[in-house]
């Protein structure tokens, strides 16, 4: 088997079947169309019959390819025996999706089930479907803090893409899943990329009882649906958002001191309960940050996931829609939050916010930076000297000729790309932050200028200064 996997890897490399190679062959427009699940533009650019075109048509476009061309592209490799293609009447078609992926300057390939719904086809997915490279998995990769780790755990590994992403900075990788097909394909992804992963069968933390990790990541089956949902990659037998709750609540027991747990999540917004309080009950006394990127009402949520399952327009759609809506109503769900949760295994509190705006990607470095500031800033900032971060710009608006602007906004170009409205005093403080004077000195000077008691100015503006430091507007 190893010889066959080595041969497959060599064939991909020799053909230039890489992220860069495919992008160059297809061009911008055809690549963009393929991202929208439209294959015709790419088909028009891949008719040469060479090895790269054969691989693109076979795996990315899911087109029939003459068996003769497949043999030329993969000399001496029996793809049928491996279960990668099937052949009928001299034509070959892919059974699995194997597509290129770039991980930290390495050319990699990810093995998963075929992408459904190409060219508008309506296709119901098999229950044990294994999702490949998808927006959610990429979001988790971009969220993960850039730390070196001795041991890392990938819960709900699916096709194994998170383990692949972590391989260069983790000494020992453990990946788990309840789907036997996912375990098999994650193993193929690891073998194809020469990555050592300890793959285990089981739910959540069951396969790693008594073990601790420096980093835990999870893109779990977080879809909140009626019990009995048959898509393993997105649905569970847990009620409501209980799968996410259990992942978060039990994380500290499986983390080393100072370890990290990061996951994508959906959570219920229950009538009469703030969603922030709900998540705070899960994180307890640990330092954590929850970001709600989107909130959907129940009907929007149900429609989203029924389309994802390929049921839109099918005979089963109305009944499934009604069942799902009744389920959410029975559990007092008035909306569903969608976002991420990061937990640092040190003492602290939860900061939870809604942030539907554009962010920098990857966001992981900023996540790490923010936690360091929240946990590392001293209680007394008066002796600290700050500088304005390089990416901060100031925007002012007001009537022409007015002595003072009506509004002053500080805006960051990096990280969460926040904007903070400030008054003239705080704007003056930020403008004076060049690393020369301390916070106390600047605020004392402003108090003298305003003819206000220093203690009042300190009391009013020190909390605002701290917030600007936490959010990266000010460096030290």
């Amino acid at each position: 088997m190893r010889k066959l996997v080595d041969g497959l890897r060599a064939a991909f490399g020799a053909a230039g079947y890489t992220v860069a190679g495919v992008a160059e062959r297809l061009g911008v427009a055809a690549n963009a169309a393929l991202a929208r699940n439209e294959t015709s533009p790419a088909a028009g650019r891949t008719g040469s019959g060479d090895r790269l075109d054969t691989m693109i048509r076979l795996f990315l476009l899911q087109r029939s390819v003459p068996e003769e061309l497949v043999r030329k592209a993969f000399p001496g490799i029996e793809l049928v025996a491996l279960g990668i293609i099937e052949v009928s009447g001299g034509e070959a078609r892919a059974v699995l999706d194997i597509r290129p992926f770039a991980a930290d300057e390495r050319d990699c390939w990810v093995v998963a089930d075929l992408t459904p719904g190409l060219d508008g086809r309506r296709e119901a997915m098999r229950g044990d479907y294994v999702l490949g490279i998808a927006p959610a998995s990429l979001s988790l990769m971009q969220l993960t803090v850039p730390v070196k780790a001795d041991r890392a755990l990938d819960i709900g590994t699916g096709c194994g893409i998170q383990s692949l992403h972590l391989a260069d900075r983790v000494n020992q990788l453990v990946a788990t899943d309840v789907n036997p097909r996912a375990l098999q394909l994650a193993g193929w992804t690891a073998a194809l990329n020469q990555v050592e992963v300890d793959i285990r069968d089981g739910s959540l933390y069951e396969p790693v009882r008594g073990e601790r990790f420096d980093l835990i990541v999870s893109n779990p089956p977080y879809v909140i649906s009626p019990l009995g949902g048959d898509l393993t990659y997105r649905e569970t037998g847990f009620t409501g958002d209980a799968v996410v709750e259990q992942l978060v609540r039990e994380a500290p027991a499986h983390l080393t001191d100072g370890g990290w747990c990061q996951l994508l999540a959906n959570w219920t917004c229950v009538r009469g309960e703030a969603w922030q309080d709900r998540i705070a009950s899960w994180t307890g006394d640990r330092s954590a940050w929850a970001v709600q990127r989107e909130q959907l009402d129940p009907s929007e949520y149900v429609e989203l996931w029924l389309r994802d399952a390929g049921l839109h327009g099918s005979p089963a759609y109305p009944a499934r829609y009604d069942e799902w809506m009744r389920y959410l109503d029975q559990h007092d769900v008035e909306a569903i939050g969608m976002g991420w949760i990061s937990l640092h295994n040190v003492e602290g509190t939860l900061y939870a916010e809604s942030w539907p705006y554009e962010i920098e990607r990857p966001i992981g470095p900023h996540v790490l930076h923010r936690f360091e500031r929240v946990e590392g800033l001293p209680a007394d900032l008066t002796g600290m000297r700050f500088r304005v971060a390089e990416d901060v710009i100031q925007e002012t608006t007001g009537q022409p000729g007015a002595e003072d602007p009506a509004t002053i906004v500080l805006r960051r170009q990096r990280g969460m790309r926040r904007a903070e409205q400030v008054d003239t005093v705080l704007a003056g403080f930020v403008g004076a932050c060049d690393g020369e004077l301390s916070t106390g000195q600047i605020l004392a000077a402003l108090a003298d200028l305003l003819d206000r008691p220093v203690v009042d100015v300190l009391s009013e503006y020190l909390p605002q200064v701290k917030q600007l430091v936490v959010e990266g507007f000010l460096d030290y």
Side-chain angles (χ1 to χ4, degrees):
M1 176 61 78
R2 177 161 186 166
K3 183 177 179 181
L4 291 172
V5 171
D6 290 344
L8 193 59
R9 184 190 319 111
F12 287 146
Y17 186 60
T18 62
V19 170
V22 170
E24 182 179 357
R25 178 62 57 91
L26 296 186
V28 174
N31 257 310
L34 191 56
R36 301 190 300 268
N37 283 352
E38 300 292 340
T39 68
S40 292
R45 296 182 62 91
T46 54
S48 73
D50 73 5
R51 291 177 296 173
L52 179 56
D53 281 357
T54 296
M55 293 174 184
I56 292 173
R57 286 191 164 215
L58 192 64
F59 296 116
L60 303 187
L61 310 188
Q62 298 178 30
R63 300 283 179 108
S64 293
V65 176
E67 183 182 7
E68 176 186 348
L69 293 182
V70 174
R71 293 192 178 280
K72 288 181 179 178
F74 300 96
I77 305 173
E78 291 297 329
L79 298 185
V80 174
L82 287 171
I84 294 173
I85 67 168
E86 58 186 12
V87 175
S88 177
E91 294 288 309
R93 294 189 71 94
V95 175
L96 294 174
D97 182 311
I98 305 179
R99 66 180 53 215
F101 171 68
D104 299 326
E105 301 182 358
R106 288 187 298 118
D107 289 324
C108 302
W109 297 271
V110 174
V111 185
D113 277 318
L114 295 172
T115 301
L118 293 185
D119 301 316
R121 297 194 299 268
R122 188 177 74 232
E123 299 169 300
M125 290 182 284
R126 55 188 293 169
D128 61 354
Y129 180 84
V130 178
L131 191 66
I133 302 171
S137 56
L138 295 176
S139 293
L140 180 57
M141 287 167 43
Q142 293 159 351
L143 173 68
T144 304
V145 290
V147 297
K148 295 279 188 179
D150 182 44
R151 303 189 77 217
L153 172 63
D154 174 14
I155 298 177
T157 188
C159 65
I161 190 171
Q162 302 303 325
S163 294
L164 193 58
H165 171 64
L166 294 174
D168 285 344
R169 49 193 174 95
V170 173
N171 293 329
Q172 183 184 5
L173 277 164
V174 178
T176 68
D177 210 294
V178 297
N179 182 357
R181 184 168 176 78
L183 297 173
Q184 179 188 40
L185 298 191
W188 287 11
T189 294
L192 188 55
N193 296 284
Q194 298 177 297
V195 171
E196 293 292 331
V197 183
D198 180 358
I199 298 175
R200 306 182 191 178
D201 181 13
S203 176
L204 303 183
Y205 296 106
E206 289 176 2
V208 294
R209 289 196 182 280
E211 299 181 48
R212 290 183 179 265
F213 299 86
D214 306 297
L215 175 63
I216 298 171
V217 297
S218 183
N219 178 17
Y222 49 64
V223 176
I224 299 165
S225 65
L227 302 183
D230 59 358
L231 292 175
T232 305
Y233 82 91
R234 69 177 210 183
E235 297 165 327
T236 69
F238 288 81
T239 300
D241 53 17
V243 66
V244 174
E245 177 181 357
Q246 187 171 331
L247 276 168
V248 174
R249 281 189 185 277
E250 296 185 8
H254 295 278
L255 288 171
T256 56
D257 292 339
W260 296 87
C261 175
Q262 295 185 278
L263 64 151
L264 304 186
N266 285 188
W267 48 78
T268 55
C269 301
V270 179
R271 296 182 186 96
E273 179 184 16
W275 69 267
Q276 297 92 334
D277 293 340
R278 184 174 184 80
I279 296 179
S281 71
W282 303 346
T283 58
D285 65 353
R286 299 295 88 186
S287 181
W289 183 18
V291 178
Q292 182 171 267
R293 297 287 287 151
E294 190 173 9
Q295 188 179 97
L296 300 181
D297 68 42
S299 59
E300 290 176 307
Y301 190 78
V302 171
E303 291 159 16
L304 168 67
W305 293 113
L306 287 177
R307 285 195 301 271
D308 178 75
L311 294 178
H312 192 265
S314 72
Y317 184 83
R320 183 62 173 162
Y321 196 128
D322 291 344
E323 177 193 16
W324 208 324
M325 290 293 289
R326 286 195 302 271
Y327 175 82
L328 296 176
D329 185 60
Q330 288 166 2
H331 289 85
D332 293 325
V333 177
E334 60 182 4
I336 296 93
M338 309 170 73
W340 72 64
I341 300 172
S342 295
L343 182 146
H344 191 204
N345 195 27
V346 300
E347 188 173 349
T349 59
L350 171 74
Y351 179 68
E353 61 176 330
S354 293
W355 192 257
Y357 312 108
E358 184 63 33
I359 63 174
E360 182 182 11
R361 298 179 187 276
I363 194 65
H366 173 72
V367 172
L368 178 61
H369 195 202
R370 191 183 189 283
F371 271 94
E372 289 173 344
R373 288 168 180 259
V374 168
E375 298 160 2
L377 278 178
D380 183 5
L381 301 183
T382 55
M384 297 193 71
R385 290 171 166 79
F386 298 114
R387 293 181 180 273
V388 182
E390 292 182 356
D391 68 306
V392 174
I393 60 174
Q394 179 175 298
E395 301 172 352
T396 60
T397 59
Q399 294 295 321
E403 183 175 347
D404 293 316
T407 60
I408 305 172
V409 174
L410 302 179
R411 191 178 301 278
R412 287 204 64 196
Q413 309 300 299
R414 304 284 311 273
M416 298 292 280
R417 295 178 175 155
R418 296 187 189 276
E420 294 284 349
Q421 185 170 336
V422 298
D423 62 14
T424 54
V425 177
L426 195 55
F429 172 85
V430 172
C433 286
D434 58 4
E436 295 297 321
L437 298 176
S438 70
T439 297
Q441 289 172 322
I442 297 173
L443 289 176
L446 288 169
D448 185 59
L449 186 66
L450 297 168
D451 194 24
R452 291 181 57 187
V454 173
V455 65
D456 290 350
V457 172
L458 291 174
S459 175
E460 181 177 353
Y461 287 100
L462 278 176
Q464 298 179 61
V465 170
K466 180 176 182 180
Q467 186 64 22
L468 290 178
V469 177
V470 166
E471 301 302 348
F473 288 87
L474 298 173
D475 286 333
Y476 60 95

